[in-house]
Amino acid sequence: MLQIFSRIATRIPQRVICASNSYSSNYRSTSTSSPMNSNEMLGAQETVSTEGNNSCSSVQSTPDIEKKYVHRVYDAIAPHFSSTRFAKWPKVAGFLNSLRPGSVILDAGCGNGKYLGFNPDCLFIGCDISPPLIDICAGRGHEVLVADAVNLPYRDNFGDAAISIAVLHHLSTDARRRKAIEELIRVVRKGGLVLITVWAVEQEDKSLLNKWTPLCEKYNEEWVDPSSPPVRNQSNTVLESISETDEDTGAVKQRNDDLKISNDGLDDNADVTCSNSNIDEHHKTQQEYFVPWHLPFHRAEIGGASAAALENGFAKRDDKKGTVVYNRYYHVFVEGELQRLVAGINNAVVVDQFYDKSNWCIVLEKL
């Protein structure tokens, strides 16, 4: 199985974690992709390397806001996050079950791997930017590695399908979101399908947006270069307590009655949020938010990440609720935004689009 996995990956990422699963026989007997010999493998590596060198550095470089409020947060909350991620979204399940037996499927941004292996007649591989989440996947026997959604370490045209579930809304610029879509299309074969889901501004619970912390800036190039921080407004906004949010649906789910007590805003992001006077003015066009995650004390004590986060002000201790509060960055999508991102991509077409459970979703077919 490791040999098959190495044929799919085109370059060695910073950290690779592989684990055997039960789908190797299906892949060998029914995959549409021909095995690559060493010369073909080298050619694929050179092709990807050349493409990467031509990419815009601002797209390849991870902005600070993603490093701090996505990567670091999910690394810190990984075990607790994983324990809340087990329900399969019916629309995603239906898509995976619709694929023909023997299909090779990539889950880019696989989290704890809850969709990996969902259809036992297919071969699944996964990647995520969070090493702790990939550790969890590997411990469950999945074929996974640590990778960036905007720079996938796989050869062209290897897969029959790819999914990106609740991932793109963690990318902070249009260019990075478009690049992630292009990468998903690149790695599937001609005729292959790509399912993408993102949180919607048009939430079914209209009051939810008022409970998130809005950001006044759309963070673009200034976040790529830490030496040139953006000018940001001071904030008096109080970060309200909300329930933990389901990544698959965008719908709020109450996990613990203790989380009903309100808490103060995080010190670390006090200077990147809108003042109260600006919230109503920008409410209709606001798409950038911090969404809190409440990590119970007994979970936070598993590792030293939370202790360090509390010490440097990256997270806040809430003694009343017995939690450490982290903020996660989200760019929530408006109707038609996914379609606009895809409009400039010539080698794919939208074959399905729908709104479901506070998510905008599209299915692409590679041309």
Side-chain angles (χ1 to χ4, degrees):
M1 192 61 194
L2 183 58
Q3 183 180 7
I4 294 173
F5 190 75
S6 67
R7 291 171 181 163
I8 293 173
T10 62
R11 54 198 163 190
I12 303 301
Q14 184 175 6
R15 182 183 183 195
V16 178
I17 304 174
C18 301
S20 296
N21 63 26
S22 60
Y23 308 119
S24 58
S25 60
N26 285 340
Y27 178 82
R28 293 189 179 99
S29 63
T30 61
S31 172
T32 58
S33 302
S34 300
M36 301 179 71
N37 60 38
S38 58
N39 290 333
E40 290 172 331
M41 184 67 186
L42 179 59
Q45 290 173 325
E46 291 174 346
T47 299
V48 174
S49 177
T50 301
E51 290 174 350
N53 291 335
N54 292 332
S55 298
C56 177
S57 61
S58 64
V59 176
Q60 290 181 317
S61 301
T62 303
D64 282 356
I65 195 169
E66 293 177 35
K67 292 178 182 178
K68 291 179 65 176
Y69 298 106
V70 181
H71 301 181
R72 285 176 60 187
V73 171
Y74 280 100
D75 287 352
I77 68 173
H80 185 230
F81 175 83
S82 178
S83 71
T84 67
R85 278 8 187 207
F86 49 85
K88 312 300 191 295
W89 187 26
K91 290 288 187 179
V92 178
F95 174 82
L96 295 175
N97 283 331
S98 72
L99 301 173
R100 63 175 180 79
S103 292
V104 179
I105 305 167
L106 170 66
D107 185 348
C110 61
N112 69 342
K114 72 176 185 179
Y115 289 112
L116 298 178
F118 176 78
N119 183 340
D121 295 325
C122 297
L123 168 70
F124 288 78
I125 63 172
C127 64
D128 199 278
I129 197 64
S130 171
L133 286 173
I134 288 299
D135 282 335
I136 292 171
C137 293
R140 296 173 176 176
H142 297 305
E143 302 287 346
V144 290
L145 55 77
V146 176
D148 192 335
V150 302
N151 191 25
L152 295 175
Y154 307 106
R155 66 178 177 86
D156 297 352
N157 308 309
F158 84 84
D160 299 292
I163 62 174
S164 173
I165 309 303
V167 175
L168 263 61
H169 52 229
H170 288 309
L171 303 179
S172 58
T173 70
D174 279 344
R176 285 174 61 76
R177 292 187 281 268
R178 180 187 297 271
K179 183 63 164 61
I181 295 174
E182 291 173 343
E183 283 288 272
L184 292 167
I185 296 168
R186 177 183 66 79
V187 300
V188 301
R189 62 172 174 78
K190 183 177 180 181
L193 299 176
V194 175
L195 169 64
I196 301 171
T197 77
V198 293
W199 282 18
V201 169
E202 300 84 354
Q203 290 286 304
E204 293 177 352
D205 180 358
K206 303 300 183 183
S207 66
L208 183 59
L209 289 172
N210 294 325
K211 297 180 181 180
W212 296 345
T213 303
L215 309 183
C216 285
E217 302 283 342
K218 294 196 72 167
Y219 300 96
N220 294 307
E221 304 304 327
E222 63 266 33
W223 280 97
V224 176
D225 183 4
S227 64
S228 303
V231 176
R232 295 169 290 192
N233 295 336
Q234 294 296 322
S235 172
N236 296 318
T237 303
V238 173
L239 177 63
E240 297 183 42
S241 173
I242 66 169
S243 310
E244 293 168 11
T245 311
D246 186 85
E247 289 291 337
D248 299 321
T249 65
V252 174
K253 294 184 177 181
Q254 185 66 48
R255 305 288 183 183
N256 192 315
D257 290 339
D258 291 340
L259 299 184
K260 293 180 180 178
I261 306 172
S262 63
N263 59 280
D264 295 329
L266 296 180
D267 295 339
D268 190 59
N269 41 292
D271 60 348
V272 299
T273 57
C274 294
S275 65
N276 285 326
S277 61
N278 290 332
I279 293 178
D280 291 337
E281 179 181 351
H282 298 289
H283 178 74
K284 292 183 179 180
T285 58
Q286 182 65 41
Q287 292 181 256
E288 320 298 316
Y289 290 93
F290 279 145
V291 178
W293 183 272
H294 303 273
L295 184 64
F297 284 160
H298 71 278
R299 289 281 189 174
E301 293 170 357
I302 292 176
S306 291
L310 288 168
E311 183 177 353
N312 62 30
F314 179 61
K316 183 179 178 63
R317 180 185 178 98
D318 191 323
D319 291 315
K320 292 181 179 179
K321 294 183 296 185
T323 62
V324 176
V325 185
Y326 287 90
N327 263 356
R328 300 172 292 164
Y329 167 79
Y330 281 79
H331 167 89
V332 288
F333 281 64
V334 297
E335 182 176 6
E337 186 174 355
L338 272 177
Q339 289 83 344
R340 287 194 294 273
L341 284 174
V342 175
I345 301 176
N346 296 326
N347 63 337
V349 61
V350 177
V351 294
D352 194 10
Q353 51 192 321
F354 53 94
Y355 173 89
D356 190 70
K357 298 184 182 300
S358 298
N359 272 238
W360 289 116
C361 315
I362 59 172
V363 177
L364 307 175
E365 181 178 351
K366 185 170 181 176
L367 302 176

